[in-house]
Structures are given as C-alpha cells and as structure tokens.
Amino acid sequence: MQGEHFRKGTWLQEEDEQLTSFVTRLGGRRWDSLAKVAGLRRSGKSCRLRWMNYLRPNLKHGPFSVEEEQLIVQLQQRCGNKWSKIARRLPGRTDNEIKNYWRTHLRKRAQAQQEGKFKYELENTSQDFNQKRIDMVSKDYNHANVYCQENEWETKDSSIDTFPLSDWELRSSLHDSRILDWIAQLQNGNSEKEQEQEQDCNSTGTYEYNPQEFAECRDTWDYSGSLWDMN
DNA sequence: AAATCGGTCAACCGCGACTTT
DNA sequence: GAAAGTCGCGGTTGACCGATT
C-alpha cells in the first residue's frame, strides 16, 4: 500500500453504504483488501474503525444509562483504562465511545469526588471508618456483579470477567488504597500496598448479595453517593 | 454580532501482539 | 524461525457546536 493517497476525515454516507455492503458480503477481515475491493479511498484501518465504532449492527448510539455509567466507573476502577475489556461488558457500546464518555463525563466527577472526600476522610480515619468504606465498596461491586448476571454476560473468564470480591479488590481504588496504605504505615511501619500489588486479581472471597440493599443502592446512585460518598 | 472558550466525539496515530507466508 | 502483513488497543487530535463574554 505504499504511496497510496487515502482519504481522511469524516465519512460520507456513500462511503458508509459502500463499506456496509462489502463487509456484509465479505466479512470483517482483511480490511486493506476489503477497502481496495470496495473502491474506497480509505485505509483498511480507517474502514475497520468506522465499521467497529459506527456501522456494525446492534450498536447503541443514544446516551448512557445510569446503570451503564455505574458499570463503567466500577470497571474503570477495577482494571484501569482497559476500554476494550470494559466495552465487552457493555453490549452495544464501543471501546472508543466508553473511553470518550469516561474522559468527558465521568473522570472529572470521579476526581472531584475523590479530592473532595480525601480531605474529609483524613480527618475521620479510624477502624470504624474503614469498615464502612469496605462495606460501601462491597455493595457497589455486588451491584456490578448482579448487573452482569442479569444480562447473562459470560462469567467463565477470570479477572474482569467475574467479580470475585477479594479483600484486595475492596480496597483497590486509588482512594481506598491511599487511605489504607497510610493507616497501615502508621500501624505497622511498612507499606501494605507492596503486598497487595503482588496478589493475584483472581483471588476469591465472596460477599452475600442482598437484593434490598442492591435496590437501594441502584435507586440512590447519583454521584453524590456511591463509592466516594460517606454520607 | 463577533470573538473566544470549553466540551464533545469521530477519527487518526503509534505501537505491540498476533497471524500468515 | 524470520519477515511481512494484519489486527486491536489506548492515547491524542481536530472539527464542530453551544455557551459565554
């Protein structure tokens, strides 16, 4: 493909139609060849992206639901910026869409919540406080777990694909780690985080699902609550 | 009304992983 | 086993649009 001049920028409707027609007939493989055969002056890469993020069937294009938002926040905390993995848990959503949504909507909210609460929590650090934190986070992860089960998403894989609520996971947000590290250092004089980092994400340890608690959690979620709210 | 700013999102880029030859 | 080709991912860019000055 050397020296070829590919078109860039926004896709035209004719291009979309052309691409859809050829992907439907030939399948979504060999994108460079497909682009050529279809007569599109686009790179295979560009065609693949357009198909995956916009044209392929069963994509949702509307606004994210509250439950989708919750799931994104929880999964992002759990596994970081692994957008493709997160996208697999949100049928009809693309990694690009989730990534953009996180960056433009959720990240700031999360940061603001964390920064706002961090000050408060430094002043309220105690064993009771930490137990409350763990209970809170546990509730949120149960929510995500149940949501996946309700939607019959595969749970055979480990790590992100199941939601075993290990002790490590309950404290895995930056926020919780920071607080608990600090406490551990005060108590033991060494960092608990080093040990945590060595633990496998697959470690198990389950928590009971309480439907009533879940319903309350679901009803009251509005980002003034949830993971970062102690009130 | 025009200029500027900030938010949003589609699309691009670079790179590593995987597959094919 | 090596090289070339292809795919998939995460980060970044830039066009567009509405709000504000």
Side-chain angles (χ1 to χ4, degrees):
Chain A
M1 292 267 181
Q2 293 170 345
E4 289 198 54
H5 187 260
F6 295 123
R7 227 181 80 73
K8 289 184 182 179
T10 312
W11 279 68
L12 305 172
Q13 193 181 342
E14 304 93 86
E15 291 180 304
D16 281 345
E17 286 167 3
Q18 192 113 351
L19 180 60
T20 303
S21 161
F22 276 83
V23 173
T24 306
R25 273 188 272 166
L26 304 176
R29 308 289 298 176
R30 304 278 172 184
W31 291 100
D32 281 334
S33 312
L34 190 142
K36 259 186 183 174
V37 172
L40 291 161
R41 297 180 61 78
R42 297 273 183 176
S43 68
K45 219 172 179 179
S46 179
C47 292
R48 178 190 162 272
L49 201 69
R50 183 66 180 169
W51 174 257
M52 299 300 283
N53 288 345
Y54 196 81
L55 298 174
R56 85 185 136 105
N58 304 322
L59 282 181
K60 294 181 195 168
H61 291 295
F64 283 77
S65 69
V66 174
E67 277 154 359
E68 284 175 320
E69 278 194 7
Q70 288 179 42
L71 205 50
I72 293 168
V73 171
Q74 288 160 9
L75 293 172
Q76 201 282 337
Q77 282 200 320
R78 188 183 158 89
C79 41
N81 300 346
K82 302 295 178 190
W83 305 116
S84 59
K85 273 194 169 185
I86 293 172
R88 279 177 221 138
R89 287 293 173 214
L90 288 132
R93 301 295 186 184
T94 68
D95 54 353
N96 208 34
E97 197 177 11
I98 292 167
K99 177 174 61 180
N100 282 332
Y101 193 71
W102 168 259
R103 294 177 72 87
T104 56
H105 293 90
L106 304 179
R107 184 174 59 177
K108 279 181 201 163
R109 257 188 275 180
Q111 281 175 350
Q113 292 278 356
Q114 289 201 348
E115 281 164 18
K117 296 298 173 188
F118 183 55
K119 198 177 169 186
Y120 166 82
E121 287 176 7
L122 279 177
E123 294 162 2
N124 291 275
T125 305
S126 68
Q127 275 202 327
D128 284 351
F129 167 80
N130 282 306
Q131 190 52 54
K132 201 174 173 187
R133 292 293 302 158
I134 288 169
D135 291 346
M136 199 71 176
V137 177
S138 163
K139 196 194 242 184
D140 277 336
Y141 276 116
N142 270 327
H143 185 179
N145 194 16
V146 169
Y147 187 60
C148 287
Q149 286 167 7
E150 281 175 349
N151 287 278
E152 297 180 340
W153 294 343
E154 58 187 293
T155 55
K156 57 180 181 292
D157 199 359
S158 59
S159 65
I160 177 180
D161 293 328
T162 54
F163 289 83
L165 299 174
S166 67
D167 195 41
W168 182 87
E169 288 156 352
L170 292 178
R171 289 173 284 140
S172 64
S173 74
L174 288 174
H175 185 258
D176 291 307
S177 298
R178 193 164 47 180
I179 297 286
L180 292 171
D181 286 350
W182 182 58
I183 296 163
Q185 280 175 4
L186 286 177
Q187 289 176 340
N188 307 325
N190 61 358
S191 170
E192 195 179 6
K193 193 174 183 180
E194 287 170 18
Q195 295 169 23
E196 288 176 0
Q197 284 173 340
E198 288 171 13
Q199 284 192 30
D200 187 352
C201 291
N202 296 337
S203 62
T204 54
T206 54
Y207 289 77
E208 299 262 330
Y209 163 57
N210 179 336
Q212 192 180 345
E213 223 177 41
F214 168 63
E216 287 167 8
C217 178
R218 171 185 263 175
D219 291 345
T220 57
W221 181 287
D222 64 356
Y223 292 101
S224 60
S226 182
L227 288 173
W228 304 285
D229 195 348
M230 290 301 299
N231 298 321

